[in-house]
Amino acid sequence: MKGYIFDIKRFAMHDGPGIRTTVFLMGCPLRCWWCHNPESIGQINKSDNLRNHNEHNTSCENFDKLHPTEYSVDELYTEIEKDWLFYEESSGGVTFSGGEPLVQIDFLESIMKKCKYNDFHTALDTTGYAKYTTLERIIKYTDLFLYDIKLFNDDLHKNYTGVSNKLILENLNRLIENDANVVLRIPLIPEITDTEENLSRVIGYIKGINRTLKIDLLPYNKLSESKYIKLNTESRLGKVETQSEEQLSGIVALFNNHGLEVTLRG
Amino acid sequence: MTERIKRLREQTLSIHPGISMERAELLTEFYKSGIPENESVPVTRALAFKYLLENKFLCVNNGELIVGERGPAPHETPTFPEICTHSLADFEILNNREKISFRVSDEDKSVQQHNVIPFWSGRSIRDKILKSVDNDWKEAYSAGVFTEFMEQRAPGHTVLDDKIYKKGFKDFINDIDTSIRNLNFHKDEEALNKSEELKAMRICAESLISYSRRYSEKLYELAASETDESRKNELETMAGICSRVPGNKPNTFWEALQYYWFVHLGVITELNTWDSFNPGRLDRHLYPFFKRDVETGLLTEDKARELLHSFWIKFHNQPAPPKVGVTAQESNTYTDFCLINLGGVDENGDDATNELTYIILDVIEEMRLLQPSSMVQISKKNPDRLLKRALKIIKTGFGQPSVFNTDAIIQEMLRHGKSIEDARNGGASGCVETGAFGKESYILTGYFNIPKILEITLNNGIDPRTNKKIGIETGDPTKYESFEQFMSAFKKQLNHFAEIKLKGNLIIERLWAEYLPAPFMSILVDDCIKKAKDYNDGGARYNTSYIQGVGMGSVTDSLASIKYNIYDKKKLSMEQLLNVLRDNFSGHEEIRKMFLDATPKYGNDNDYADSILREVFDIYYNAVDGRPNTKGGFYRINLLPTTSHVYFGSVIGSMPDGRLCGKPLSEGISPVQGADRNGPTSVIKSAAKIDHIRTGGTLLNQKFSPQILEDESGVEKVLKLIRSYFRMDGHHIQFNVVTAETLRNAQAEPENYKDLIVRVAGYSDYFVNLGEELQEEIIRRTEQSDF
């Protein structure tokens, strides 16, 4: 079994507790206008671009990271295990992100199982867009879900991500019912997700849940712009300015006024 | 910070350093007096010391609380003609050079020309050294294979322990007298030499007491004419302090600081020790005085801070004595490498931090001065609070305090055969060098250019820059059939040059022992009094000589490239490689790109490259470690460059790692600038593959963009990163927290960035004072911070 990985980021600081290594898996069913990892969207066919992990590793990690690399479970585990001491020292661990990691569910299940067996803290950064039966397969290997909530208005959701939010919200409810450890992550996309209307519905939803959830607000940043240039495509979002500190504190206050604690930038 | 401290700080930051001829004139006067002809060498040196202290101008700066300057005023820097006599051309360069210049007046030049040069020419230790070393040494030295520390500065590199806080100089005189009484002329053929050495120490001890009394009198005089009542009282208090210390042991916090400062002045007046002497574990030494004075109401915490501020300014008032020629290129800086140690463990192995540790850290943050530099020792026994406090200063971006692993330092010293107590009471000094404070002479003897040796190996013993054959013929590299054969040639070549360096060192050690003993410093370092032997002649309890390896990253990446591209993947032949290097990659841009972007590099937690690093380390270690010096001790290695990686790079052509001709090498054990692309955890893992415990110090610089340390959680993660490195036995780590953009702006408008401080390599410096190559090198290091 092979997995297709487009990046491994070490000393990841915003993908869960402690020092983490984040593995980015190829493939995503969503097409968000603001996508931060446009390189994840390509086909996972054996294209010319695909590199074998061994070649990749012995030569060096200096190749253009926008090309996917093929890993076996053991090969990927070796890469994750390299940083065990940092996880141990900082109560960190490994985070699987994407794309949407659930797209490669068979591979994901195997690698997460192996990480859990070896006692690593695991986090899954997910859009939540998958059949619940898929999601269910990795619940027992996931210590933390970093669960994206984008838009509550389904028409807007369809418009800006290409899919309905129905499945996403259903899955979230079921995870919460199952007592999974969930952090809600809200990408603040200027004038799309950071509108008062949308944020009020987020707040309403959270207040309706019978549990305290940690909430991370992820302000828009322009880091992905260079990726679009490298990939020779354009973001559908076009040129957008990042939120000012003032705007951000306004948004934080909105949550605080409803008695909700939030963290900026995770 | 009080108003007067602000003023004194402003003053020390604004004065441009100048050359003071006072010491050179006094010394020459003394040597011309005829006394030296009738006395032994140590006694002559002691009488010279006495003459200097009897006649030195006494400086008291307005409002200051600790007195004494090395020159007649702050930043007036003496010369040491008995070590290295500056030529008039040297003085011109010092006066005119763009960076690290020293004012030299026409009068100074005239004194130098008519008075100093005629007497010292041929007599200075530099002249003696250049006369005594052989041709192989000279060839290798001029080719830039290694440098030599002791041709312009004295063997120094020792740090004080707690003895001056327990004993006055009168007590030391008693110890010296006991040692004199114990000499046995019937049985000990060395007894006469020993007796002369002890006599010299005694003269030095008396001289320092007299010097403090001169200050006491001067301060009483100033008090008598002072109209401001509170300053009058202060001057009287200071006069009283100077009449008690250093003759007697200190009784108060203030006395302890003034006592240390007299000792410091003694050491840096006797000789220009390399690196500058310092009080070492200051938080531990001062704490008993602080506690007692605060309890008895003699001292408030604010007053303690003000005294420490004043103390800090005294260090900053003394720039490093100017160097000339190649030595200036090796380390061109005003920084004199005083490194205050905080934290760590006590002799029982317990956490040594106390209240004063944190107060001193506040002082470091408030003063923001290059000197004294500072570090925190972090042991597994120390609380995270200490490291967190240090990180909060580091994130302000001035490169202090640096962070050291106490547990590694102790293991290094135990391996060198030190007692567990001496190891625990020790620390690091200079840049990163391990030592047993107050008990060890640990001399840096020179940097060793490892990549240059690779270049000479590739050219079968010839230095391609000059076409001179300076190495041995290890064979035509195009004939090697395997990488192992190539490595064995490299090893032979390295051993050859290590032998040349070691032989030179053994000669130079003897010259210093013979002609320029340091009887004053010998009082301060155990067991010189007991052994009746000079610091420069093996008097210390432990005697270590270091040779500092430079360019580990560059040589590893170059060897990895040879192994990968020539022998493993056969992307090109050795012949092609030699052509490409000869052309400095011109017309071979694709090959350079392959070397830069598609070849394994150290710093990425990649065993292909990192295993070569280990191999190079073993070769270097085996060439040097354990070789005896002439002082009863041994040679050891450490891995640090100061600024020599720039000079060493300038003498090497292009390299198989893709580096262009003349560009700087990697510094310390940091990866080649820009070669580490997987973030700090990978750098740390690669760096930890070096066996730090078998060194006497390694230097790892990391760059962080300021955003990483912006919030509490970022600080927490960097803290854990450091703890992880230390758990893997890493010796030292330091951070440059500044953006490349800021540095570019500073290059463009230096006048607006005069106070911008960056971490160079084991020390910090004003960015605008650095040479352009070094500025560029630091920018390249910084630009990789967006992981």
Side-chain angles (χ1 to χ4, degrees), chain B residues 54-291:
Chain B
E54 276 172 354
N55 293 289
K56 241 166 89 58
F57 177 77
L58 299 179
C59 170
V60 178
N61 296 302
N62 204 0
E64 71 179 354
L65 297 167
I66 314 279
V67 291
E69 299 286 340
R70 179 187 221 171
H75 293 267
E76 291 297 310
T77 313
T79 62
F80 296 76
E82 73 271 48
I83 296 171
C84 154
T85 316
H86 291 90
S87 67
L88 290 182
D90 290 337
F91 268 11
E92 284 298 326
I93 293 169
L94 288 177
N95 189 51
N96 298 334
R97 70 185 178 200
E98 200 189 329
K99 310 273 167 94
I100 318 292
S101 64
F102 287 83
R103 266 179 298 105
V104 188
S105 69
D106 287 343
E107 204 195 320
D108 296 340
K109 283 180 209 156
S110 162
V111 171
Q112 185 76 3
Q113 183 180 5
H114 301 294
N115 201 351
V116 180
I117 295 174
F119 181 81
W120 288 105
S121 177
R123 283 193 171 96
S124 75
I125 195 106
R126 183 163 201 253
D127 292 341
K128 290 193 174 82
I129 288 171
L130 296 177
K131 216 170 76 188
S132 308
V133 289
D134 62 19
N135 199 48
D136 283 351
W137 188 95
K138 282 181 186 152
E139 296 266 24
Y141 176 78
S142 13
V145 178
F146 50 72
T147 67
E148 173 51 54
F149 265 45
M150 256 75 74
E151 45 94 38
Q152 289 185 27
R153 294 194 68 176
H157 229 296
T158 197
V159 172
L160 203 52
D161 57 6
D162 62 355
K163 66 171 67 68
I164 67 163
Y165 311 98
K166 295 176 172 163
K167 280 183 174 183
F169 267 65
K170 291 181 194 158
D171 301 312
F172 293 134
I173 290 174
N174 280 336
D175 294 344
I176 293 166
D177 288 345
T178 306
S179 206
I180 291 175
R181 277 196 303 276
N182 289 341
L183 288 175
N184 186 337
F185 282 81
H186 300 285
K187 287 188 176 159
D188 184 355
E189 60 187 26
E190 291 279 312
L192 181 61
N193 291 341
K194 288 179 177 174
S195 146
E196 290 299 305
E197 175 69 27
L198 289 166
K199 235 197 270 177
M201 289 186 205
R202 198 179 198 287
I203 294 166
C204 290
E206 284 168 345
S207 304
L208 194 75
I209 298 173
S210 309
Y211 179 59
S212 71
R213 295 220 171 107
R214 284 183 67 210
Y215 257 108
S216 176
E217 284 158 24
K218 165 115 183 182
L219 288 163
Y220 276 126
E221 276 167 34
L222 289 173
S225 59
E226 178 62 58
T227 49
D228 180 282
E229 205 47 40
S230 76
R231 180 62 177 165
K232 192 186 192 67
N233 288 337
E234 212 165 64
L235 287 166
E236 279 169 1
T237 306
M238 288 157 71
I241 290 170
C242 293
S243 72
R244 284 189 297 276
V245 294
N248 304 292
K249 74 179 169 78
N251 280 321
T252 67
F253 188 75
W254 199 341
E255 283 183 8
L257 288 172
Q258 180 65 62
Y259 183 158
Y260 172 78
W261 191 246
F262 279 130
V263 168
H264 189 90
L265 289 177
V267 170
I268 66 175
T269 299
E270 179 177 48
L271 287 168
N272 62 358
T273 52
W274 205 177
D275 302 305
S276 185
F277 192 71
N278 81 74
R281 312 278 299 269
L282 195 63
D283 52 343
R284 288 181 67 200
H285 299 327
L286 294 179
Y287 184 61
F289 300 100
F290 172 80
K291 196 164 178 269

Side-chain angles (χ1 to χ4, degrees), chain B residues 99 643 645-646 660-667 671-674 703 736 738-749 756 758-760 766-784:
Chain B
K99 310 273 167 94
T643 61
H645 57 299
V646 177
L660 293 173
C661 175
K663 294 290 174 196
L665 302 172
S666 61
E667 49 80 31
V672 168
Q673 301 74 0
K703 63 271 163 177
N736 245 331
V738 63
T739 62
E741 197 189 350
T742 306
L743 299 179
R744 287 273 176 224
N745 292 342
Q747 266 188 324
E749 305 160 25
L756 177 67
V758 292
R759 196 74 186 163
V760 180
Y766 292 108
F767 184 72
V768 297
N769 276 348
L770 302 174
E772 203 178 321
E773 272 296 343
L774 195 55
Q775 288 186 342
E776 286 296 327
E777 193 261 327
I778 289 170
I779 292 174
R780 276 199 297 281
R781 259 194 253 160
T782 310
E783 273 169 344
Q784 288 295 321

